[in-house]
Amino acid sequence: MKKSEALIKRLLNILMKRLNVKEIDETKEALLMGSKRINLNYYPVCPNHDLTVAIGRHSDVSTLTILLQDQTGGLFVRTEDRRGWIHVPPIPGALVINIGDALQIMSNGRYKSIEHRVTANGSKTRVSVPIFVNPRPSDVIGPFLEVLASDGEKAKYKNVLYSDYVKHFFRKAHDGKMTIEYAKIT
Ligand SMILES: O=C(O)CCC(=O)C(=O)O
Ligand SMILES: [Fe+2]
């Protein structure tokens, strides 16, 4: 977890440049990566793998997710037209970087969180280790002013307390990219 910090900062610096955010000051750093959580996912061999969902389709509520997966495979991401799925092949030594809902909200939709799911496997176990890079639970997140100021862009998302957003995610079954509707200005 500690070692991932340099990578996370590098990624966020690059992503922020495109949003007109010149510098990640203390406030921004807290909003973008104020809390982190590591999960250890173990997927056992599943006899009825055709009838079973390992993890249903969802987007992460994080800013970024840094994911290490073993050689089994089974992670799929939604295609841009939302009609199909692309397998994310395991590559030794490679990390999968996903954009989460918090970054979609803070970037006012310029960066889009990725819908993904995991299929069950009939012959092999699987292990994956995601690090979720999050705002702090007590943070209020909304589109960055730099993004809105750049060309008078209208806010697509309202300000939400991050802990409320996460609670909303866990209150319901996985439902693709529906969580973000909670923060949408309609
Ligand atoms: O196991 C994976 O590859 C992804 C897990 C995942 O989507 C999650 O923990 O949110
Ligand atoms: Fe996920």
Side-chain angles (χ1 to χ4, degrees), residues 104-109 141-145 147-149 151-159 183-186:
Q104 178 164 341
I105 292 170
M106 291 190 275
S107 71
N108 203 35
I141 63 162
F144 284 151
L145 292 178
V147 181
L148 302 180
D151 51 359
E153 197 171 298
K154 268 215 182 110
K156 295 188 176 123
Y157 303 99
K158 51 192 170 200
N159 289 336
K184 243 183 211 161
I185 296 176
T186 46

Side-chain angles (χ1 to χ4, degrees), residues 41 55-56 58-61 65 67 75 98 114 116-118 130 132 169 174:
N41 295 324
I55 295 194
H58 69 282
S59 56
D60 296 339
V61 292
T65 304
L67 179 100
L75 170 66
N98 280 341
I114 185 78
H116 55 284
R117 66 185 171 99
V118 180
F132 299 101
F169 173 78
H174 282 340

Side-chain angles (χ1 to χ4, degrees), residues 11-167:
L11 289 169
L12 286 173
N13 265 314
I14 295 164
L15 290 164
M16 286 308 109
K17 286 225 169 78
R18 300 289 293 177
L19 294 183
N20 229 14
V21 174
K22 304 255 156 22
E23 191 213 334
I24 301 184
D25 58 14
E26 243 172 67
T27 317
K28 284 251 160 41
E29 185 170 314
L31 287 169
L32 291 165
M33 52 180 292
S35 83
K36 291 192 214 79
R37 200 182 80 191
I38 192 160
N39 273 11
L40 306 173
N41 295 324
Y42 174 72
Y43 303 90
V45 172
C46 179
N48 271 325
H49 62 101
D50 289 340
L51 302 172
T52 309
V53 170
I55 295 194
R57 57 199 192 89
H58 69 282
S59 56
D60 296 339
V61 292
S62 55
T63 304
L64 292 177
T65 304
I66 316 290
L67 179 100
L68 178 69
Q69 60 171 335
D70 68 11
Q71 291 306 298
T72 299
L75 170 66
F76 288 77
V77 292
R78 199 63 147 158
T79 53
E80 219 174 336
D81 64 8
R82 299 242 180 118
R83 288 195 194 159
W85 295 94
I86 300 170
H87 187 234
V88 181
I91 299 170
L95 296 166
V96 179
I97 313 291
N98 280 341
I99 289 188
D101 290 351
L103 187 54
Q104 178 164 341
I105 292 170
M106 291 190 275
S107 71
N108 203 35
R110 293 204 197 168
Y111 295 127
K112 295 188 171 47
S113 62
I114 185 78
E115 185 179 343
H116 55 284
R117 66 185 171 99
V118 180
T119 54
N121 192 302
S123 56
K124 279 193 254 168
T125 60
R126 178 168 186 267
V127 170
S128 76
V129 185
I131 294 177
F132 299 101
V133 183
N134 301 319
R136 294 168 307 189
S138 59
D139 283 324
V140 172
I141 63 162
F144 284 151
L145 292 178
E146 289 89 336
V147 181
L148 302 180
S150 61
D151 51 359
E153 197 171 298
K154 268 215 182 110
K156 295 188 176 123
Y157 303 99
K158 51 192 170 200
N159 289 336
V160 291
L161 180 66
Y162 188 62
S163 61
D164 284 347
Y165 191 82
V166 175
K167 253 186 238 158

